[in-house]
Each structure stands twice: as structure tokens, then as C-alpha cells.
Amino acid sequence: GVAQPHRHISIASEVSGRVKFKNPNFNDGRYIAAGEVLYEIDASDYESALNRIKQELLQAENSLTEWKVDRENAAQQVSLAEQDLTFARNEAARVRSLRASNAASEQEMEQSLRTEVAGQLAVQNLKNQIKALDARKARAEAALELQKLAREQAERNLARTKIVAPVDCVVVTDDCEEGGYVQSGKVVAI
């Protein structure tokens, strides 16, 4: 009789590239042990992609650090502007009191009110700046998460440049040669 295999497994690359190594046992009719490397794809493009993404991840982390510094500075500026506004309000109240007894001029009264309004405007502008910074933080956090996902994908792609036998098997047919090009998803062996 003719021996029939228990099952057929198709081997396909999950990434594309030039084959830089082919296991000498990876040929028709040869036995391959589970976990043995069948072939390797040139990983240089995948290594470069991973390095680029790592740098972009570092930039995203730096953006969050910059945001934190900007946010702390803006909060300190709001605190100082609120103190300045308190002084301006106290001065305006003092000048109003003096004006009521004709001890201050109309011009002094208007100037103290202008200073108070300018202080209110400064506080409001700084609070608006904090709101804008908080929106920037959300964008920076989202960019950081995207870069983390991109790094994970790049690491998986790099790992996929080594194609290993999933189980102990005998190669029925192989369509892979060292120096040849394999496409992602194309079956190269059964």
C-alpha cells in the first residue's frame, strides 16, 4: 500500500522579502523537526522599520514630558496672575473708597479699574491656555499609544522573518530557494 500523511500543512511566509537562508533539510521528502528554522527572510528592512518606530515612540514620550512641563508652568502662571488680580481688586476698592471722599481723581479710579480688568483678562487667558494644553495632552497620549501599537507590529514582523516548522513533518513539496523572493501569504511548502 501507499502511506498517506495524517494531515497536510501549508507553510507560508507572513512577511515578504528575499530569502537569505534556507535550511539544507528543507527539501522534498526530507524530515524537519518542530521548531526548526525552515528559512529566513532578510530582516534589514524590518529592523530599520522597528528602529524608526522606536525613535518615533521616544518622540511621543518626549512630547508628553514637554506637555507636563508646560502644564506646570501654566498652572504657576495662573497662580501668580490670580495673586496679581487680588492686588488689583484691592487697589481698585481702595481707590473707589478714596474717590467717594474725593481723595482720588477720576483718572486714578479709571486706571485702577483698567488694571483690575487687565488682571481678569490675564487670568482668563492663562486658564484658556491650560485647556488647550490639556487637549494637547490627549493628542500626545493617543500618539504614544499608536506608536506602542506600531512597535508591537514591527516586532512581530521582525520575528516573522524566521519561518519555523510548526510540527514534526516531512516536506512534500517546497517552492523556496535561497536568494529568491517570497510574498506574504504565498504557500512555499506543504
Side-chain angles (χ1 to χ4, degrees):
V2 176
Q4 293 291 322
H6 175 67
R7 61 184 172 164
H8 287 272
I9 297 176
S10 297
I11 305 292
S13 174
E14 295 182 73
V15 294
S16 299
R18 187 139 329 266
V19 176
K20 74 172 192 173
F21 166 78
K22 180 181 177 185
N23 185 325
N25 291 328
F26 184 42
N27 288 303
D28 296 358
R30 303 291 298 266
Y31 172 80
I32 301 282
E36 196 171 339
V37 174
L38 301 174
Y39 62 97
E40 289 182 34
I41 295 172
D42 181 9
S44 58
D45 290 341
Y46 298 100
E47 289 167 345
S48 294
L50 179 58
N51 289 333
R52 187 192 85 250
I53 289 168
K54 284 180 179 178
Q55 290 303 311
E56 290 171 355
L57 181 59
L58 185 60
Q59 287 177 340
E61 289 168 346
N62 288 341
S63 290
L64 273 177
T65 301
E66 288 174 8
W67 169 85
K68 184 179 178 184
V69 170
D70 290 347
R71 180 68 164 79
E72 288 170 358
N73 288 342
Q76 289 173 351
Q77 288 175 342
V78 166
S79 177
L80 292 172
E82 286 173 339
Q83 289 175 16
D84 193 42
L85 177 57
T86 299
F87 292 137
R89 284 181 175 151
N90 291 342
E91 177 65 13
R94 186 182 70 75
V95 172
R96 270 193 297 275
S97 172
L98 291 173
R99 179 72 183 132
S101 61
N102 285 330
S105 69
E106 185 68 30
Q107 184 180 8
E108 290 172 314
M109 177 70 183
E110 287 175 5
Q111 181 59 41
S112 68
L113 290 175
R114 275 194 212 100
T115 302
E116 182 180 2
V117 169
Q120 290 171 339
L121 182 62
V123 168
Q124 188 58 50
N125 284 340
L126 289 168
K127 286 182 178 180
N128 290 343
Q129 182 182 354
I130 286 176
K131 287 178 185 177
L133 284 170
D134 289 344
R136 191 175 97 196
K137 178 188 180 194
R139 285 192 310 273
E141 287 173 336
L144 180 63
E145 289 306 311
L146 284 173
Q147 290 305 319
K148 286 179 181 178
L149 292 173
R151 180 189 61 198
E152 290 172 11
Q153 181 65 49
E155 288 170 345
R156 280 193 302 274
N157 286 343
L158 182 58
R160 290 173 177 162
T161 60
K162 288 186 181 184
I163 294 73
V164 297
V167 295
D168 292 341
C169 60
V170 173
V171 178
V172 177
T173 60
D174 84 280
D175 187 24
C176 174
E177 292 301 326
E178 196 166 316
Y181 190 85
V182 294
Q183 290 283 356
S184 175
K186 181 179 180 263
V187 175
V188 293
I190 298 176

